[in-house]
């Protein structure tokens, strides 16, 4: 690990100001991803601003009938919150499908959103990676790319975003509230938080330097059957090859899609609103939805299996909803 | 009231000790901090470990795991992968299990930290330790301290109603099944594959079977 200095401010505004005061500073919350990357010298902050003492660790109702999740709420606490379990089941399901119990106890809401890709070439400092070393090339294109993106990728990067939580938040139309070093706050739709790689895969979000995520807000509950189905290489503690977040309405055995988002397919949670609109009100058929979602998909050499896997996972999820099961 | 145990008497001692010991990667990195310029970047932290307060003087890079092992000489917590994959470093912080390799010691001022040494002793074992012995829940034993700390927390998490990936009904109380235990223990790897006996040990403590 490269040497760094350390401070622990007492408020979000102080933390945001501290992060721009020292060039090369980073926030640290749970630290489960950042410290891993620092040990490998993929992340080399000169200064750490520990945000664990700034509050923002509560889940509170909003005036709009939704919930405001503080940035420092731990993944375990978010998944276990009775209101989340009752009204936003897809979010609870998505969170517990990721990582291990130890990691979820430490990982925070904001940190989960801002975690880096697990592309093996991003992690291997001997290999080219445009995300880690801009301009060095992409070793995954033409390399081991079975777990990589099939949608929204570029000639510069085919990495995926690893979060399950973010996929559920995308389906739920969450908003990300931030505080800038100036003290100004803003609200960013989660659809806009993460960027596609384009020519600058090292720029992963639209956050400005020093801008701190303060909370994630959820709109009022949508109801319906809420499912999260994750396909991975082993039954537990692995990242998704394909995952589906579904909110569906069930009426007399008919399943109508309300919200649908996918993980494991792209540089950000993948949701195609057009697919939701196209099947609105009709009994959902996986293939016709998948045709729309997968339009423009460009698999790499080793991940074309994700095309049929999307169809089958969606089909299985819809079938599960049809059974009226709670998961 | 816990007594304060001073780890060192002088400023130079911690660096000397780190240089003399630690065959680990992190130890190597700590050796690199002994230049005069970087020696100023040290933090005094009070760690409350197993009910005892320890004042330690640390480079901020020191993980909680390295602080426990190299500074406080509590070597029960093990360094397996040092990247949160294996769970051998699992300790309880304020009653919750975490990977001590993926957190900095300076971030834990005032927290109540429990290592396997704090759960029980060879003479007075924690029920989970005794169950691991009774059921042969290990072979080489390297992962065992992490398994035991994790297992103690798993039973608390189930009692607290924290759901897991295999919990069928998010609204109902959680049944303490083998499936639940297996899923919740997936962050603890045992390369000797003592898993069936580990499950038996945990089920015994949970009262799931005689």
């Amino acid at each position: 690990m490269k040497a760094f200095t350390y401070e622990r401010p007492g408020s979000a505004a102080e933390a945001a100001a501290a992060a721009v005061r020292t060039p090369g500073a980073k926030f640290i919350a749970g630290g489960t991803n950042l410290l891993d990357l620092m040990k490998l010298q993929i992340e080399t902050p000169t200064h750490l601003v520990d945000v664990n003492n700034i509050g923002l660790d509560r889940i509170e109702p909003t005036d709009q009938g939704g919930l405001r999740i503080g940035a420092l709420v731990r993944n375990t606490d978010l998944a276990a919150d009775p209101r989340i379990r009752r009204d936003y089941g897809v979010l609870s399901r998505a969170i517990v499908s990721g990582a291990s119990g130890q990691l979820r106890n430490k990982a925070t809401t904001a940190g989960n959103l801002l975690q880096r890709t697990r592309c093996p070439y991003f992690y291997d400092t001997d290999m080219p990676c445009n995300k880690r070393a801009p301009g060095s090339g992409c070793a995954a294109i033409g390399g081991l790319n079975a777990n990589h993106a099939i949608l929204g990728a570029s000639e510069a990067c085919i990495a995926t975003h690893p979060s399950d939580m973010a996929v559920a938040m995308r389906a739920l139309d969450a908003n990300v509230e931030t505080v800038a070093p100036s003290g100004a706050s803003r609200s960013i739709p989660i659809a806009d938080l993460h960027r596609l790689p384009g020519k600058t895969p090292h720029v992963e979000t639209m956050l400005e330097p020093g801008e701190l995520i303060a909370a994630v807000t959820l709109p009022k509950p949508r109801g319906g059957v809420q499912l999260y189905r994750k396909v991975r290489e082993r039954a537990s503690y692995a990242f998704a090859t394909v995952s589906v977040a579904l909110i569906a309405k069930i009426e007399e055995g008919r399943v109508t899609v309300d919200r649908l988002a996918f993980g494991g397919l792209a540089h950000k949670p993948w949701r195609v609103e057009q697919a939701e609109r196209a099947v609105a009100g009709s009994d959902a058929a996986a293939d016709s939805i998948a045709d729309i979602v997968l339009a423009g998909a460009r698999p790499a050499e080793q991940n074309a299996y994700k095309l049929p896997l999307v169809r089958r996972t969606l089909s299985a999820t819809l079938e599960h909803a049809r059974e009226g099961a709670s998961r | 009231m816990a007594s304060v145990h001073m780890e060192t008497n002088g400023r130079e001692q911690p660096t000397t000790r780190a240089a003399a010991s630690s065959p680990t990667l992190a130890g190597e990195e700590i050796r690199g901090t002994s230049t005069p310029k970087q020696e100023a970047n040290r933090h005094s932290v009070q760690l409350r470990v197993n009910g005892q307060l320890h004042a330690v003087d640390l480079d901020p890079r020191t993980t909680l795991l390295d602080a426990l092992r190299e500074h406080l000489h509590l070597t029960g917590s093990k360094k397996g992968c040092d990247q949160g994959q294996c769970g051998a470093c699992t300790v309880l912080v304020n009653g919750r299990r975490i990977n001590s390799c993926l957190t900095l010691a300076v971030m834990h001022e005032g927290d109540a930290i429990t290592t396997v040494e704090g759960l029980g002793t060879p003479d007075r074992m924690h029920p989970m330790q005794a169950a691991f012995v009774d059921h042969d829940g290990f072979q080489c034993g390297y992962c065992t301290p992490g398994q035991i700390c994790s297992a103690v927390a798993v039973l608390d998490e189930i009692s607290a109603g924290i759901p897991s990936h295999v919990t069928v009904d998010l609204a109902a109380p959680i049944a303490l099944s083998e499936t639940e235990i297996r899923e919740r223990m997936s962050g603890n790897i045992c390369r000797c594959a003592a898993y069936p006996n580990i499950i038996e040990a945990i089920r015994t403590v949970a009262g799931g079977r005689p």
Side-chain angles (χ1 to χ4, degrees), chain A residues 1-8 28-33 35-36 39-41 48 50 52 74 76-77 79-80 85 89 92-93 96-97 99-106 228 230 232 234-237 326-327, chain B residues 29 38 41 43 60-61 63 82-87 90 96-99 101-104 106-109 146 150 157 160-172 174 182-184 186-189:
Chain A
M1 227 186 278
K2 293 284 190 187
F4 57 83
T5 48
Y6 169 87
E7 73 178 302
R8 189 177 169 98
I28 186 166
T32 53
N33 188 214
L35 286 170
D36 187 25
K39 289 179 186 185
L40 298 164
Q41 298 190 11
L48 283 186
D50 178 352
N52 285 289
R74 307 291 153 170
T76 296
D77 296 315
R85 288 156 71 179
S92 192
R93 294 284 179 211
V96 296
S97 79
S100 66
Q102 290 96 316
L103 291 170
R104 292 192 297 271
N105 280 343
K106 208 81 181 80
Y228 189 78
K230 178 172 177 177
R232 45 186 160 176
R234 57 178 185 239
S236 184
Y237 198 14
S326 60
R327 65 183 286 271
Chain B
E29 298 289 352
Q38 290 181 349
N41 184 22
H43 286 251
R61 284 174 285 187
T63 62
D82 207 25
Q83 56 178 15
Q85 288 283 332
C86 77
T90 303
R96 299 188 132 192
R97 56 181 172 147
I98 66 164
N99 300 114
C101 75
L102 283 186
T103 191
L104 299 173
V106 289
M107 297 169 76
H108 291 283
E109 175 103 41
S150 203
E157 287 165 14
I162 294 169
S164 85
H165 177 59
V166 299
T167 304
V168 176
D169 185 352
L170 288 177
I174 296 160
R182 282 184 179 278
E183 162 61 25
R184 289 166 191 268
S186 71
N188 291 85
I189 308 296

Side-chain angles (χ1 to χ4, degrees), chain B residues 76-97:
Chain B
S77 308
K78 295 294 187 279
K79 183 179 283 190
C81 67
D82 207 25
Q83 56 178 15
Q85 288 283 332
C86 77
C89 68
T90 303
V91 300
L92 307 178
V93 174
N94 300 328
R96 299 188 132 192
R97 56 181 172 147

Side-chain angles (χ1 to χ4, degrees), chain A residues 213-289:
Chain A
I213 295 179
V216 173
T217 56
L218 301 177
K220 67 179 186 194
R222 300 196 67 84
V225 173
Q226 302 200 3
L227 304 174
Y228 189 78
R229 191 178 189 98
K230 178 172 177 177
V231 181
R232 45 186 160 176
E233 289 179 348
R234 57 178 185 239
S236 184
Y237 198 14
F239 293 98
T241 52
V242 171
S243 68
V244 175
L246 172 71
I247 304 175
K249 309 283 181 185
I250 316 290
E251 286 163 0
E252 295 167 5
R254 282 169 13 125
V255 176
T256 58
V257 171
D258 181 29
R259 290 287 184 272
L260 181 64
F262 295 85
L265 302 185
H267 205 247
K268 59 192 286 184
W270 200 257
R271 178 171 159 204
V272 182
E273 278 96 333
Q274 191 200 335
E276 294 167 9
R277 285 194 296 271
V279 298
S282 59
D283 196 26
D287 274 333
S288 56
I289 298 169

Side-chain angles (χ1 to χ4, degrees), chain A residues 119 121 128 130 137-145 148 153-159 298 300-301:
Chain A
C119 173
Y121 300 106
N130 288 321
C138 174
I141 298 172
L144 298 171
N145 51 34
H148 288 70
S154 71
E155 296 303 313
C157 179
I158 58 170
R298 286 182 58 204
E301 194 178 343

Side-chain angles (χ1 to χ4, degrees), chain A residues 46-199:
Chain A
T46 57
H47 184 66
L48 283 186
V49 180
D50 178 352
V51 294
N52 285 289
N53 198 33
I54 64 170
L56 304 178
D57 56 355
R58 306 277 292 274
I59 304 172
E60 292 162 332
T62 65
D63 294 341
Q64 291 74 39
L67 289 175
R68 184 172 187 271
I69 304 158
L72 274 297
V73 171
R74 307 291 153 170
N75 287 179
T76 296
D77 296 315
L78 182 53
D81 186 276
R83 295 161 293 185
I84 299 290
R85 288 156 71 179
R86 184 186 65 221
D87 297 331
Y88 306 94
V90 66
L91 179 56
S92 192
R93 294 284 179 211
I95 291 169
V96 296
S97 79
S100 66
Q102 290 96 316
L103 291 170
R104 292 192 297 271
N105 280 343
K106 208 81 181 80
T108 63
T109 305
N112 187 315
L113 289 175
L114 298 181
Q115 65 180 305
R116 313 293 305 273
T117 186
R118 298 316 197 278
C119 173
Y121 300 106
F122 175 67
Y123 266 75
D124 185 346
T125 51
D126 291 333
M127 298 296 284
C129 171
N130 288 321
K131 191 182 278 297
R132 174 170 35 75
S136 64
C138 174
I141 298 172
L144 298 171
N145 51 34
N147 287 324
H148 288 70
I150 58 170
L151 287 158
S154 71
E155 296 303 313
C157 179
I158 58 170
T160 58
H161 194 270
S163 173
D164 294 296
M165 184 194 80
V167 178
M169 286 181 171
R170 180 74 181 89
L172 289 164
D173 281 319
N175 278 282
V176 179
E177 292 180 9
T178 67
V179 181
S182 66
S185 59
R186 63 169 170 162
S187 179
I188 304 165
I190 194 160
D192 300 335
L193 176 70
H194 298 105
R195 297 163 48 117
L196 288 177
K199 292 178 177 166

